[in-house]
Amino acid sequence: MHSERRPRLTPAIADVRRAVRTALAALVPQSEGRPAARGRGADESRSPGAGSTPLVLVALSGGPDSLALAAATAFEASKAGVRAGAVIVNHNLQEGSADVAAAAAQQARDLGLDPVDIRSVLVGDAGGPESAARDARYAALAAAAAEHGALRVLLGHTLDDQAETVLLGLARGSGAGSLKGMAVDTGQYLRPLLAITRATTVQCCEDSGIVAWNDPHNLDTSYTRVRVRQTILPLLESELGPGIRDALVRTADQAREDAEALDHFAEEMAEDLADISEAGISLPVRALAANPAALRQRLIRLAVASEFHVSLSRSHTLEIARLVTDWRGQGPIDVPGVRVERRENLLHFSAHSEERDAV
């Protein structure tokens, strides 16, 4: 049942609502006159009587970030011209996780969200526990979005999460791809709270009289992100002064702007340079050599990703780039799924497999 209690408007509640209002308002022009979902069967899966009103789903864990997001979305959705529901993913990693999921679902219903969908998943071990849980969660969210015909799934990532993501990217040496952090809108997921601190979402729940669930995994220092949150970032702020989180987020914003510009230039150039045939795809060596390394390497990665659906690592990209910048008559280079060869002043990319070599 929809709760009739209206909390007093406090700065924390106002900040979260404003962030959600801004994010939802940006969706309306995109959704007018268009199907509310991507994915097979989306139109048929709309709730009866929903008409053409687009649906967004809040990914709700029951924690303060996602609860604050759910409460603000429930308040703002109708004014933005969208319907709002919730999807709860039960990872089955803790005793009583089904009860936690059921409690979160009831909170969503009390806020007036509809539909409310609980998804139970089995988490594997590929890539470690954090990665495996994330993969299972996003697969469940994507399935729920397709089934319900959701325009976006709203995620409760905050400014603190963004800062942690950038710091982890720095530690791993992952380049601009990681330094740019999480995007507000990916076309499938929407993160309205990336400029809102975790302290604000906690205060928002308290001010709203909403009891949030505190995931014990958030205190488990066996997880890398927990160590960053509890130890590394506080140490940096202690030694370097306050504002580290904001500085990391500004770094992400600037890196994203630069990366998007370079990606745009690379895509425009690839349309003119790439020669696609049944044998694969080719790029002219002279054009690659004439461009700065950032564009050259993007062109190489783009060619491989678009034609063979393979994401090259930096080391593999640099190895291929040496066929342009350090050419000494080298033979073909084999990277996962792709063979690259320089001949007749062209870089030729073709499908590569162990089976073909064995013939």
Side-chain angles (χ1 to χ4, degrees):
M1 184 177 66
H2 193 298
S3 174
E4 295 298 328
R5 179 180 57 80
R6 292 185 178 274
R8 178 176 60 88
L9 185 63
T10 66
I13 293 175
D15 285 348
V16 175
R17 285 181 180 176
R18 187 181 304 111
V20 171
R21 185 184 314 133
T22 300
L24 292 181
L27 294 182
V28 175
Q30 300 176 38
S31 62
E32 287 176 351
R34 292 173 50 185
R38 301 174 181 183
R40 189 175 179 181
D43 291 338
E44 293 82 356
S45 63
R46 291 182 177 213
S47 300
S52 60
T53 306
L55 171 71
V56 296
L57 292 174
V58 178
L60 180 60
S61 68
D65 298 340
S66 63
L67 264 179
L69 175 61
T73 303
F75 186 85
E76 297 288 344
S78 62
K79 293 183 287 185
V82 299
R83 295 181 297 124
V87 55
I88 298 97
V89 179
N90 174 15
H91 296 81
N92 292 291
L93 293 175
Q94 304 173 47
E95 186 177 350
S97 62
D99 294 334
V100 171
Q106 187 57 53
Q107 287 177 308
R109 296 186 191 98
D110 290 343
L111 289 168
L113 298 179
D114 179 52
V116 175
D117 187 353
I118 298 178
R119 299 267 163 162
S120 182
V121 299
L122 293 177
V123 177
D125 53 10
E130 290 172 280
S131 177
R134 182 171 56 251
D135 289 346
R137 177 166 61 256
Y138 276 97
L141 294 176
E147 181 175 322
H148 293 286
L151 181 67
R152 295 289 192 281
V153 176
L154 275 55
L155 305 177
H157 294 124
T158 65
L159 181 148
D160 298 74
D161 294 309
Q162 183 77 301
E164 292 159 10
T165 298
V166 176
L167 190 56
L168 284 166
L170 280 169
R172 292 166 180 156
S174 304
S178 290
L179 293 187
K180 66 184 182 181
M182 297 175 285
V184 172
D185 189 353
T186 69
Q188 183 175 20
Y189 299 106
L190 184 66
R191 298 179 174 93
L193 305 185
L194 278 184
I196 299 294
T197 65
R198 186 173 294 129
T200 300
T201 64
V202 170
Q203 189 64 51
C204 177
C205 289
E206 292 180 0
D207 294 346
S208 302
I210 301 174
V211 179
W213 172 66
N214 293 310
D215 186 350
H217 281 173
N218 289 335
L219 301 175
D220 186 349
T221 54
S222 66
Y223 294 104
T224 305
R225 186 175 286 270
V226 174
R227 295 195 298 273
V228 168
R229 181 178 305 160
Q230 293 192 348
T231 304
I232 306 302
L233 274 171
L235 177 62
L236 288 174
E237 292 198 333
S238 172
E239 296 298 322
L240 301 178
I244 292 297
R245 287 173 174 82
D246 289 335
L248 288 168
V249 171
R250 287 196 301 272
T251 298
D253 292 340
Q254 294 167 18
R256 187 180 306 108
E257 291 171 358
D258 292 347
E260 288 174 354
L262 287 168
D263 288 343
H264 175 72
F265 293 145
E267 288 169 4
E268 285 193 334
M269 292 177 63
E271 290 182 3
D272 295 331
L273 298 178
D275 181 15
I276 302 174
S277 67
E278 291 185 5
I281 186 170
S282 300
L283 293 172
V285 169
R286 182 175 297 178
L288 289 173
N291 279 286
L295 276 173
R296 179 166 55 247
Q297 287 154 202
R298 274 174 165 77
L299 285 166
I300 290 170
R301 289 196 298 268
L302 184 59
V304 171
S306 62
E307 187 68 15
F308 307 103
H309 309 292
V310 171
S311 180
L312 289 176
S313 68
R314 176 168 174 80
S315 61
H316 286 147
T317 304
L318 293 177
E319 187 178 359
I320 294 170
R322 288 183 63 244
L323 294 177
V324 176
T325 61
D326 190 22
W327 171 243
R328 298 178 182 179
Q330 301 97 309
I333 292 175
D334 293 326
V335 296
V338 182
R339 171 163 288 177
V340 189
E341 182 179 9
R342 174 170 171 164
R343 64 177 188 270
E344 299 176 353
N345 291 317
L346 293 172
L347 277 193
H348 293 276
F349 300 80
S350 58
H352 166 63
S353 67
E354 294 180 359
E355 289 79 6
R356 187 188 70 179
D357 292 344
V359 175

